[in-house]
Amino acid sequence: MPIISRPALVEHLVRTRIAGDVATPRDNNLSHYRKLANGDRHYWLGLELGDRWTDEQDVLAVMAERCGVVDDPAHRVGQDTIDPELTVDGLDRMAARLRKAAAGRERVLFATGHPGSLIDVHSRVAAALRAQGCDVVRIPGGLVADEGYVVQFADVAVFERGASLWHTHSPEPMNAILDALGEAGRPDLVIADHGWAGRAGQRGIDSVGYADCNDPALFIGEAEGTMQVTIPLDDHVLDPRFYEPLTAYTLETAGLAG
């Protein structure tokens, strides 16, 4: 994948709707912000938010600042947005953390709740870090969570049920992995999304996560310092190959390309 400039990447993100005018509607975003504020733990994505975020307007303010959604509380329906400049800013912060991991030959775990779109993104980063001498975590076999199995493909942990890979927001698969690894096998860094990323951060591990504009918890986690980095993007666009320039840019910025 050719390396592209920041302006070219911003244009690509908008054209493919990874950022810019994204597919997630405004009413869906606001519903999720409200449910998080009302204490629905499904929307906490493995984080422990206590009673610190009980006003959905506070959640909206964080999302406007860190994701780029429309900041007007009166905007209730229709289109919502992700700021592509914030997406690339997040990739730059991720790249800095990847450089640190490579320099220290750290132990890194990759996981995704979006196997239909993000597994290749995670897998390419895993391969680049392994080439630099990092220890990419191989999860134990036989792990179960949420009435399914936690398995691994192309270095990425995923959730399987009924011979299919599932989209999941649950933190329980990450709990199963970390409990099985124990303190001796604990990773230095987790790169993930959804509850996989949130629970790793909550358990005190450096965690980098991709997050959509209707998943506010990871942005709150970064604001509070529980998450190292949260990258705003639409996490399931039409074609998974649309993420390839994003991955190439990140690896080049981290000094891990080639």
Side-chain angles (χ1 to χ4, degrees):
M1 171 57 62
I3 308 303
I4 63 176
S5 66
R6 179 181 178 119
L9 179 58
V10 167
E11 187 278 331
H12 170 81
L13 295 173
V14 172
R15 178 170 49 81
T16 57
R17 300 187 74 184
I18 293 173
D21 291 337
V22 293
T24 309
R26 176 67 167 194
D27 57 322
N28 181 264
N29 283 346
L30 295 180
S31 172
H32 287 203
Y33 304 169
R34 181 169 56 256
K35 289 172 181 176
L36 180 147
N38 288 341
D40 187 334
R41 297 178 72 85
H42 174 78
Y43 296 92
W44 289 12
L45 300 182
L47 294 167
E48 295 297 334
L49 302 180
D51 60 0
R52 299 185 299 279
W53 296 92
T54 57
D55 186 338
E56 71 175 278
Q57 299 308 317
D58 291 340
V59 179
L60 174 59
V62 169
M63 293 303 292
E65 176 188 9
R66 293 179 175 266
C67 183
V69 302
V70 177
D71 62 0
D72 181 3
H75 179 50
R76 309 299 298 178
V77 296
Q79 186 69 53
D80 213 338
T81 57
I82 293 174
D83 185 341
E85 297 288 350
L86 293 179
T87 303
V88 183
D89 288 346
L91 296 175
D92 288 342
R93 295 195 303 276
M94 177 181 179
R97 187 60 186 85
L98 294 178
R99 284 195 298 273
K100 178 182 176 183
R105 297 190 173 183
E106 291 182 347
R107 181 169 166 79
V108 187
L109 171 64
F110 293 84
T112 186
H114 257 295
S117 55
L118 295 180
I119 193 168
D120 190 53
V121 174
H122 290 301
S123 181
R124 288 171 185 249
V125 176
L129 286 179
R130 177 181 285 112
Q132 296 295 315
C134 288
D135 178 12
V136 176
V137 174
R138 184 175 175 88
I139 72 170
L143 299 182
V144 296
D146 294 333
E147 300 181 346
Y149 296 94
V150 187
V151 296
Q152 194 167 31
F153 293 97
D155 292 322
V156 186
V158 292
F159 179 68
E160 179 186 46
R161 185 191 293 167
S164 297
L165 303 185
W166 280 53
H167 170 214
T168 178
H169 287 212
S170 173
E172 294 308 319
M174 181 56 73
N175 275 335
I177 294 171
L178 296 179
D179 290 346
L181 290 174
E183 194 61 31
R186 178 184 175 94
D188 302 302
L189 174 64
V190 168
I191 300 175
D193 44 72
H194 286 176
W196 307 77
R199 182 48 54 90
Q202 187 63 47
R203 291 182 61 159
I205 299 168
D206 281 5
S207 183
V208 172
Y210 300 102
D212 210 328
C213 55
N214 63 354
D215 292 328
L218 297 190
F219 296 98
I220 289 173
E222 185 180 19
E224 293 193 328
T226 310
M227 294 289 301
Q228 288 280 300
V229 180
T230 299
I231 302 110
L233 49 69
D234 187 314
D235 54 17
H236 198 124
V237 293
L238 180 64
D239 188 338
R241 290 173 293 189
F242 289 163
Y243 296 103
E244 289 178 356
L246 173 154
T247 308
Y249 173 90
T250 305
L251 294 178
E252 173 69 16
T253 304
L256 302 177

